[in-house]
Amino acid sequence: MNETEYKIQIDDVIRRVETARVRVSGHHIVKIVAVSKYSTIDEIQKLYNIGQRAFGENKVQDLKVKSAELDELPLEWHFVGNLQKNKINNLLDLNPTLFHALNSIELANELQKKLEAKNMTLDALLQINSAKEESKHGVMPEDALNIYKEIQDTCSNINLKGVMSIGAHSEDYKVVKKSFETTFDIYKQLKGATICSMGMSGDFELAIECGSNMVRLGSVMFNK
Ligand SMILES: *Cc1c(COP(=O)(O)O)cnc(C)c1O
C-alpha cells in the first residue's frame, strides 16, 4: 500500500477504536500499539509518517533489527512475545518501552537477576491466561493477584504497570467477552496499575468495551 492507502486504513481503525472507547466513557483513553511482526521497515516508516509512534514485536531478534534500522525516529518499542530465558539479556540491551508478556514468577526472577546486574529497570505487564487455554502462556486468573504482589515484593527492578491478555480463541462472542472481563476484573483489583493490554485485530472493539486501554493491532494496521 502507498501512504494514502495506509492513511485511509488507519483512519478507519482509529474511528473504530473511538466508537468503542466512547461507549465506555469520553474519558476512557485507548492507546494503539501497532504490532509490526509481519511488516517491513518500509511499512513501519509509512505508519510513522502518518502519526503512529508505538510499535510492537514478538521476537527479540526482529525487535533488534527493526529498532536499529529506525533508530533515528522517536519510536516506542513494545515487546509482546513470549520471552525465552536465553534471550533476556538481548531484550534488555534494547531497552524496550514495555514488556507485555511477563508470564511466570520464574521468568520474573530471571529478569530481576539480569536487571540488577545491568543496574536497570523494566516496565512490564503480567500476562494472564484468562480462558485457561493450553496453547497460551500466562498465569491462571485465580493466581494472578498473588503472583502480581509477589513480583512487586521480590523483584524491585521490575515495574509492574498492569496486565496483558489474549482474548479466548473462540467463535463464540460470549466466551471471548468473558475472557476479557476476567482480565479486567483482575486489573481493577490492582492498586496503582494503569495498563490493561487486551484486544487484537479480530476482537479489539469488544476488548475496549470490556475496559482495555491498550490494544495490540497487527493485521488491521498493516493490512496483512
Ligand atoms: C501478533 C500479535 C498481536 C497482533 O495480532 P493481530 O491479530 O495481527 O492484530 C497482538 N498481540 C500479540 C501478543 C501478538 O503476538
Side-chain angles (χ1 to χ4, degrees), residues 35 37-38 58 80 164 166 200-202 216-219:
V35 178
K37 64 188 182 196
Y38 303 125
N58 72 339
V80 302
M164 178 276 229
I166 297 173
M200 301 172 33
S201 293
R216 308 176 309 270
L217 305 180
S219 38

Side-chain angles (χ1 to χ4, degrees), residues 19-136:
T19 305
R21 79 162 187 91
V22 168
R23 251 181 240 147
V24 179
S25 146
H27 301 284
H28 185 68
I29 305 302
V30 176
K31 177 162 177 153
I32 299 174
V33 176
V35 178
S36 48
K37 64 188 182 196
Y38 303 125
S39 302
T40 62
I41 303 281
D42 180 59
E43 290 166 328
I44 295 169
Q45 175 94 50
K46 284 203 177 84
L47 280 205
Y48 169 80
N49 290 344
I50 57 179
Q52 182 66 32
R53 293 293 178 269
F55 293 89
E57 288 288 332
N58 72 339
K59 297 212 170 73
V60 176
Q61 186 56 24
D62 293 348
L63 178 60
K64 183 176 172 154
V65 171
K66 291 176 186 177
S67 60
E69 285 273 343
L70 295 163
D71 189 36
E72 300 291 295
L73 304 182
L75 303 181
E76 266 182 29
W77 286 102
H78 295 238
F79 190 71
V80 302
N82 184 47
L83 179 61
Q84 290 161 307
K85 284 192 185 139
N86 62 352
K87 301 282 166 61
I88 292 178
N89 275 325
N90 295 354
L91 179 68
L92 295 183
D93 289 342
L94 304 173
N95 198 18
T97 300
L98 182 65
F99 172 43
H100 288 235
L102 181 51
N103 54 29
S104 70
I105 297 261
E106 293 70 35
L107 180 59
N109 288 337
E110 289 294 320
L111 271 165
Q112 173 61 24
K113 267 192 260 167
K114 306 267 158 92
L115 286 163
E116 240 172 75
K118 290 176 187 286
N119 194 23
M120 62 184 283
T121 60
L122 177 71
D123 288 357
L125 304 177
L126 183 66
Q127 182 175 358
I128 298 170
N129 188 349
S130 52
K132 305 189 175 187
E133 290 161 307
E134 288 273 348
S135 58
K136 285 197 182 115

Side-chain angles (χ1 to χ4, degrees), residues 172-190:
D172 186 345
Y173 170 91
K174 286 202 217 85
V175 173
V176 183
K177 183 161 188 247
K178 184 154 185 301
S179 72
F180 289 142
E181 286 169 346
T182 297
T183 303
F184 186 68
D185 187 56
I186 293 162
Y187 170 68
K188 272 192 312 192
Q189 295 179 61
L190 297 167

